[in-house]
């Protein structure tokens, strides 16, 4: 079974263990969970009061020699009952049935801090046995000698949300073809390891060594942009290794000077193939007609015989017989950095660093091969290759200082310099393949043989006009060059200088205020140029005439006013060539100099921190900014930020926490009219009157909004009829695109210990989202614009004896699409809703 | 980085607000509470973002707040970490997006990933800022100059 099947078959496996969607099964399982909870509660109530005062679950560990060893382990079984859209459940939650290690920790401490190999060791783990996230953390240290930290993390990232990149095929097309799985499905395993060793941590010179590895692999689905979008199977595989070595020198009083050398090396070995050959031609050859089945894509009436398996389609449709792409980018980032921290000067604390990095990304073996038919250009596929290299050179420095002028007044300054540039080049070598004439009567499109010619063999294969021999490539007036060699040269860079100065004054012992100013100057430069180093147009085609050089004069070399363009010349074999390695021809759209964008940013800062009473704490951070230019249309020219936070603790066991967080961004110049805001209001209350009862609850409301004027070429639209003032554009239509989302989130948790041996927890968390947006396609489902996502839970744990405890927990995940799941006219898609109950039964041992 | 210049220090968040040498609940950094609950104690508006359908796996324990933010301060905004080469912290995990590429999506390198994504969590697929990705593209790639 190929990887594509492995992904799409997840949806079919509704009946696998623990995931039955049938109502009877669900009811029986739900009753079983209830019964188990009742049983657990009865057992708890019948238990005698504990003989000892300390809870059985709180062990002080055991002493062994010079060490105190304390371990906890919790393992058990999770039973999952999931119904509805399993793809969405796996994307959002992905907790499934099986035996799990929920938690394991070990803390080993030297009693007198004179351990032989270490003084402290802590080791923690969770998620092993099949959960999507597994994490292990280890720390070992010996006072004056070393400190080692190691982390291993595995993330099983399943992503199959089918409304992203969905072509939204209409029900009216024959055959109606809904795309029920995400065309960009991902089933990735990400394994991340980090190791850091600090040697001689208390000496004047200490050394640091580090290594990180991030390995990603797994199957995925992808599409090729444009046309009918074939569904491709992708093998994702990329790895990053990072090495770090550094030293700190602390020979100067209250000062640390550090040097670090870092190397990051990434290799990517992704490959793409077309395994979605779900139709066949009349000769039985499998074919992929892509994902878009609407209008004339892949063609007006593709299926000629629905009775065959698979269905037989006409060869005149746009389609793919095969696709493959491999690329092997290799990148390296060596970086040197010097940094310091110092409190050497009285009342002045400083820190700063300077770094240099020269990264490079090289693609030496990019290769794309396509066997297809495109009716508009009469193409039978093509190949693309050629080496590419991009560099990233970065120079950066920063300094910050805080000077206490008086006991009440201090001033801080922070300067940042960041200058990076990315020069890059790609030597393209591409071919467009064209068919020969029909070898037999009725042969068309995908059935046509591919003409096998090169610039070296063309004269032999097609020796004379009109170049329509049986082996000659046949073009039409829209056909592109047969051979394309180009040199692409690009540049992107930014030079940033930023300074923040801030004055802080302690107005009263309980009240301080800050005022500051941020100035940032950015110069962004970009450049793009493409040079033709050999575009070759072979002649041949039924529409060929002497006037159009038997169709060799086309595209860049089309005849204008009876003559070829200046840079196009006719070769002895009848082909036309534009440019050569010794005579590169620039594209008309090339930049002739770097484009510079200068942006000057000014922002004022205000801050207040107050404790008017012992029980109330307030803080506020405000920012008001103005930029005289913007790099993109959605980059702000005006920005405001208001952050307010209050904590009220009327009792030692009661806390009320509230915050307001408002961001306003505007680029509201003519034809842009971009407004964005994010306004969030939240409160949380925590009550812990005694060790047996603990409650917290909260609510948050967030209002997100964005709007921008958009203008795009569209013909035949019945939705957008406002013309945009664009000279020369074909049928441009515009609108003010909007997106708004009102997000409500409420939660509550209750922990209750009715007996010393029993702990019960109940909780609820729910997100309710309602939104509005501009729909460009009336077939678009509202998706996550409107939904309820509810996550209640309950658990019951009781201590059995001597550190042994038992726990039963229930977690529910309910996703409910509250919008329009299947708009009229859409080939029906699966509903987005799912309901998931997870019951866990675990034993915890603390020793 | 100078910790005295951090946003935490400026708002009078002291060392003992987060660390306890004697009553720590987290042995690695002597934290008074484990992440992310410690951070949510003040940043109450961030908690709902990690409860969205699409979110970084912070509540699940895979990612810590301090993986992306330096609580002791950074030179950039929001105390977000950067690589040693001043590249975005996002590339630590999403290494395939780092490049450098011949065909860069320029706003990513100049303005940052947050031009299009909300990093904590979002109702929208791939943590996008809006629900309809076409609208996001058209915001910049429009016929208006």
């Amino acid at each position: 079974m190929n990887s594509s099947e492995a992904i799409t078959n997840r949806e079919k496996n509704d009946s696998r263990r623990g995931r039955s969607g049938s109502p009877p099964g669900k009811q029986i399982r739900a009753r079983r969970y209830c019964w188990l909870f009742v049983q657990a509660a009865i057992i708890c109530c019948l238990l005698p009061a504990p003989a000892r005062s300390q809870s059985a679950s709180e062990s002080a560990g055991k002493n062994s020699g010079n060490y105190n060893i304390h371990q906890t382990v919790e393992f058990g079984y999770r039973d999952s009952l999931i119904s509805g859209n399993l793809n969405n459940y796996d994307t959002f939650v992905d907790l499934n049935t099986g035996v799990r290690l929920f938690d394991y920790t070990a803390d080993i401490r030297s009693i007198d801090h004179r351990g032989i190999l270490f003084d402290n060791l802590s080791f923690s783990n969770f998620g092993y046995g099949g959960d999507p996230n597994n994490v292990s953390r280890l720390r070992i240290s010996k006072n004056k000698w070393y400190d080692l930290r190691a982390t291993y993390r595995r993330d099983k990232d399943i992503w199959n949300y089918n409304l992203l990149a969905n072509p939204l095929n209409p029900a009216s097309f024959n055959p109606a073809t809904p795309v029920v799985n995400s065309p960009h499905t991902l089933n990735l395993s990400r394994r991340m390891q980090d190791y850091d060793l600090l040697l001689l941590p208390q000496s004047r010179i200490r050394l640091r060594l580090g290594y990180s590895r991030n390995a990603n692999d797994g199957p995925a689905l992808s599409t090729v942009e444009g046309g009918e979008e074939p569904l491709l199977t992708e093998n994702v595989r990329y790895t990053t290794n990072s090495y770090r070595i550094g030293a700190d020198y602390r020979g100067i009083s209250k000062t640390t000077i550090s040097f670090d050398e870092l190397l990051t090396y990434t290799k990517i070995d992704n490959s793409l193939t077309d395994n979605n050959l779900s139709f066949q031609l009349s000769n039985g050859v499998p074919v992929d007609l892509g994902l878009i089945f609407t209008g004339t894509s892949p063609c007006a009436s593709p299926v000629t015989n629905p009775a065959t398996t698979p269905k037989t389609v006409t060869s005149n449709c746009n389609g793919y017989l095969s696709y493959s792409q491999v690329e092997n980018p290799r990148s390296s980032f060596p970086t040197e950095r010097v940094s310091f921290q110092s409190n050497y000067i009285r009342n002045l604390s400083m820190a700063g660093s300077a770094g240099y990095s020269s990264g490079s990304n090289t693609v030496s073996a990019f290769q794309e091969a396509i066997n297809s038919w495109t009716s508009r250009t009469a193409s039978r596929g093509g190949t693309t290759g050629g080496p590419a290299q991009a560099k990233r050179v970065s120079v950066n420095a920063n300094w910050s200082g805080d000077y206490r002028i008086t006991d009440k007044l201090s001033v801080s300054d922070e300067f940042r310099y960041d200058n990076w540039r990315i020069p890059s080049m790609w030597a393209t070598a591409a071919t467009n393949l064209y068919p020969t004439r029909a070898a037999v009567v009725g042969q068309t499109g995908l059935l046509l043989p591919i003409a096998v010619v090169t610039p070296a063999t063309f004269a032999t294969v097609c020796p004379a006009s009109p170049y329509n021999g049986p082996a000659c490539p046949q073009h039409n007036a829209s056909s592109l060059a047969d051979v394309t060699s180009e040199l692409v040269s690009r540049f992107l860079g930014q030079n940033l200088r930023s300074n923040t100065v801030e004055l802080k004054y302690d107005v009263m012992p309980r009240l301080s205020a800050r005022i500051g100013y941020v100035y940032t100057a950015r110069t962004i430069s970009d450049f793009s140029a493409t040079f033709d180093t050999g575009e070759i147009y072979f002649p041949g085609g039924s529409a060929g005439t002497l006037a159009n050089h038997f169709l060799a004069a086309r595209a860049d070399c089309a005849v204008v006013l009876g003559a070829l363009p200046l840079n196009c010349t006719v070769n002895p074999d009848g082909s036309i060539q534009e440019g050569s390695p010794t005579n590169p021809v620039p594209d008309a759209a090339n930049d002739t100099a770097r484009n510079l964008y200068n942006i000057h940013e000014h922002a004022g800062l205000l801050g207040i921190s107050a404790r008017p009473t012992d029980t109330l704490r307030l803080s506020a951070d405000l920012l008001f900014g103005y930029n005289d230019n913007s790099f993109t249309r959605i980059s702000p020219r005006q920005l405001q930020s208001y952050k307010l936070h209050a904590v009220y603790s009327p009792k030692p066991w009661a806390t009320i926490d509230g915050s307001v967080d408002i961001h306003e961004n505007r680029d509201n110049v003519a034809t842009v009219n971009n407004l964005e805001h994010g306004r969030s209001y939240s409160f949380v209350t925590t009550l812990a009157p005694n060790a047996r009862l603990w409650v917290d609850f909260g609510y948050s409301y967030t209002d997100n909004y964005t709007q921008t004027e958009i203008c795009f070429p569209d013909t035949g639209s019945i939705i957008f009829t406002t013309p945009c003032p664009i000279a020369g554009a074909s049928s441009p239509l515009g609108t003010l695109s909007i997106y708004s989302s009102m997000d409500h989130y409420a939660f509550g948790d209750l922990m209750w210990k009715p007996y010393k041996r029993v702990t019960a927890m109940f909780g609820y968390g729910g997100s309710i989202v309602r939104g509005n947006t501009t729909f460009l396609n009336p077939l678009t489902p509202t998706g996550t614009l409107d939904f309820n996502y509810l996550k209640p839970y309950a658990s019951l744990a009781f201590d059995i004896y001597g550190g042994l405890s038992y726990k039963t927990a229930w977690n529910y995940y309910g996703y409910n699409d509250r919008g329009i799941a299947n708009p009229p006219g859409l080939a029906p898609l699966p509903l987005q809703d799912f309901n998931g109950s997870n019951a866990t039964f675990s034993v915890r041992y603390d020793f | 980085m100078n910790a005295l210049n951090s946003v935490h220090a400026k708002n009078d968040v002291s060392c003992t607000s987060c660390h306890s040498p004697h009553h720590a609940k987290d042995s690695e950094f002597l934290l008074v509470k484990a992440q992310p609950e410690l951070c949510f104690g003040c940043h109450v508006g961030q908690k709902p973002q990690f409860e969205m359908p699409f979110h970084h796996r912070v509540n699940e324990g895979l990612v810590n707040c301090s993986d992306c933010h330096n609580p002791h301060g950074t030179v950039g905004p929001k105390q977000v970490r950067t690589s040693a080469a001043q590249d975005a912290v996002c590339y630590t995990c999403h290494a395939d997006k780092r490049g450098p590429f011949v065909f860069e999506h320029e706003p990513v390198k100049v303005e940052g990933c947050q031009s299009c994504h909300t990093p904590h969590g979002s109702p929208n697929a791939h943590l996008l800022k809006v629900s309809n990705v076409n609208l996001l593209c058209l915001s910049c790639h429009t016929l208006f100059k």
Side-chain angles (χ1 to χ4, degrees), chain A residues 339-408:
Chain A
S339 57
F340 80 99
Q341 279 188 308
S342 178
N343 295 319
Y344 182 78
I345 302 172
R346 183 181 167 85
N347 292 336
L348 174 65
S349 67
M350 294 186 294
S353 71
Y356 174 80
S357 175
S358 178
S360 173
N361 189 15
T362 302
V363 182
S364 57
F366 175 73
Q367 192 60 250
E368 181 188 55
I370 302 170
N371 184 348
S372 65
W373 169 250
T374 306
S375 57
R376 187 180 65 81
T377 57
S379 168
R380 278 288 277 113
T383 62
T384 305
Q389 186 180 49
K391 292 188 173 183
R392 184 181 188 277
V393 181
S394 165
V395 180
N396 61 78
N398 63 76
W399 179 90
S400 67
D402 187 278
Y403 182 65
R404 181 163 285 276
I405 302 168
T406 69
D407 284 347
K408 292 187 173 182

Side-chain angles (χ1 to χ4, degrees), chain A residues 93-128:
Chain A
V93 186
D94 197 26
L95 294 174
N96 294 300
T97 298
V99 176
R100 299 287 185 271
L101 176 67
F102 294 112
D103 188 37
Y104 171 74
T105 63
D107 284 291
I108 306 175
R109 300 179 187 282
S110 170
I111 295 169
D112 59 0
H113 302 286
R114 290 180 182 175
I116 297 172
L117 295 175
F118 60 86
D119 291 338
N120 294 295
L121 183 153
S122 65
F123 185 40
S124 63
N125 311 265
F126 68 82
Y128 291 92

Side-chain angles (χ1 to χ4, degrees), chain A residues 13 22 132 162 227 249 298 315 350 463 487 502 518 641 663 683 699 740:
Chain A
N13 295 336
S22 64
N162 76 331
Y249 175 67
S315 59
M350 294 186 294
L487 197 61
E502 206 163 5
V518 186
S641 170
H663 295 273
F683 86 89
Y699 170 76
S740 70

Side-chain angles (χ1 to χ4, degrees), chain B residues 87-100:
Chain B
D87 241 344
V89 69
C90 315
Y91 303 136
T92 307
C93 297
H94 304 282
D96 56 325
K97 308 292 186 296
R98 173 168 36 207

Side-chain angles (χ1 to χ4, degrees), chain A residues 400-420:
Chain A
S400 67
D402 187 278
Y403 182 65
R404 181 163 285 276
I405 302 168
T406 69
D407 284 347
K408 292 187 173 182
L409 182 66
S410 65
V411 61
S412 65
D413 188 84
E414 181 180 298
F415 174 75
R416 180 160 68 110
Y417 173 77
D418 186 16
N419 188 341
W420 55 262

Side-chain angles (χ1 to χ4, degrees), chain A residues 139 149 153 164 214 341 349 361 400 412 414 490 502 522 526 609 617 621 633 635 657 711 784 791, chain B residues 1 4-5 10-12 28-29 41 51 62 67 75 92-93 100 102 106 111 123 126 139 142-143:
Chain A
R139 183 178 182 185
R149 298 173 194 221
R153 292 179 289 176
L164 189 88
N214 179 358
Q341 279 188 308
S349 67
N361 189 15
S400 67
S412 65
E414 181 180 298
R490 295 174 68 93
E502 206 163 5
R522 294 196 289 160
D526 68 10
S609 180
R617 181 173 183 154
D621 271 295
R633 290 161 51 87
S635 306
D657 203 317
C711 178
T784 51
K791 292 181 281 188
Chain B
M1 175 57 202
L4 289 176
N5 266 1
K10 287 174 181 173
N11 281 291
D12 294 332
E28 187 170 9
F29 297 107
E51 299 287 347
L62 180 75
D67 288 335
V75 289
T92 307
C93 297
V102 175
E106 293 184 352
E111 304 285 43
H126 285 323
S139 298
T142 184
L143 292 174

Side-chain angles (χ1 to χ4, degrees), chain A residues 91-92 107 109 122 126 133 135 137 139 149 153-155 159 161 164 190 192 214 238 240 262 264 266 333 335 341 349 351 357 361 388 390-392 394 396 398 400-402 412-414 416 418 420 422 424-426 488 490 492 494 502 504 512 514 522 524 526 609 617 619 621 631-635 645 657 659 663 671 676 682 684 700 706 708 710-713 725-726 732 737 739 743 745 747 767 769 773-774 776 784-785 787 789 791, chain B residues 1-14 17 26-30 33 37 40-55 57 59-64 67 74-78 82-88 91-111 115-116 118 122-145:
Chain A
T91 303
F92 298 173
D107 284 291
R109 300 179 187 282
S122 65
F126 68 82
N133 301 134
V135 177
R137 297 178 192 276
R139 183 178 182 185
R149 298 173 194 221
R153 292 179 289 176
R154 173 186 171 273
D155 176 28
W159 203 95
Y161 179 69
L164 189 88
R190 179 180 287 123
M192 296 171 282
N214 179 358
Y238 58 95
T240 296
L262 308 100
T264 299
T266 299
F333 287 84
T335 303
Q341 279 188 308
S349 67
S357 175
N361 189 15
K391 292 188 173 183
R392 184 181 188 277
S394 165
N396 61 78
N398 63 76
S400 67
D402 187 278
S412 65
D413 188 84
E414 181 180 298
R416 180 160 68 110
D418 186 16
W420 55 262
I422 301 175
S424 59
M425 195 168 280
W426 182 26
V488 178
R490 295 174 68 93
L492 177 66
Q494 177 174 259
E502 206 163 5
K504 183 177 180 183
S512 64
R514 288 172 285 116
R522 294 196 289 160
I524 303 156
D526 68 10
S609 180
R617 181 173 183 154
S619 67
D621 271 295
F631 183 63
T632 71
R633 290 161 51 87
I634 56 175
S635 306
H645 185 216
D657 203 317
S659 79
H663 295 273
T671 74
E676 293 186 10
S682 312
V684 174
S700 182
T706 178
T708 316
I710 60 173
C711 178
F712 52 98
I726 304 297
S737 80
Y739 167 78
D743 310 344
Y745 173 72
F747 74 95
S767 298
V769 172
T773 191
T774 304
L776 299 178
T784 51
L785 206 56
F787 67 85
Y789 188 30
K791 292 181 281 188
Chain B
M1 175 57 202
N2 187 352
L4 289 176
N5 266 1
S6 72
V7 178
H8 280 152
K10 287 174 181 173
N11 281 291
D12 294 332
V13 177
S14 67
S17 299
D26 179 289
S27 59
E28 187 170 9
F29 297 107
L30 301 178
K33 205 184 281 185
E37 296 306 324
F40 291 156
C42 293
H43 300 276
V44 292
Q46 271 62 46
K47 183 181 170 79
Q49 298 169 6
F50 292 101
E51 299 287 347
M52 284 291 171
F54 303 97
H55 61 271
R57 307 285 179 188
N59 291 342
E60 290 80 351
L62 180 75
V63 182
N64 283 330
D67 288 335
T74 63
V75 289
K78 297 182 187 296
T82 55
S83 74
Q86 296 300 299
D87 241 344
Y91 303 136
T92 307
C93 297
H94 304 282
D96 56 325
K97 308 292 186 296
R98 173 168 36 207
F101 302 111
V102 175
F103 299 97
E104 292 278 3
H105 190 201
E106 293 184 352
V108 178
K109 291 292 159 70
V110 174
E111 304 285 43
S115 288
C116 300
T118 53
S122 166
N124 306 313
H126 285 323
L127 306 179
L128 291 172
K129 285 168 68 174
V130 302
S131 60
N132 185 342
V133 67
N134 295 338
L135 289 182
L136 190 58
C137 303
L138 284 170
S139 298
C140 296
H141 299 278
T142 184
L143 292 174
F144 285 126
K145 297 296 179 187

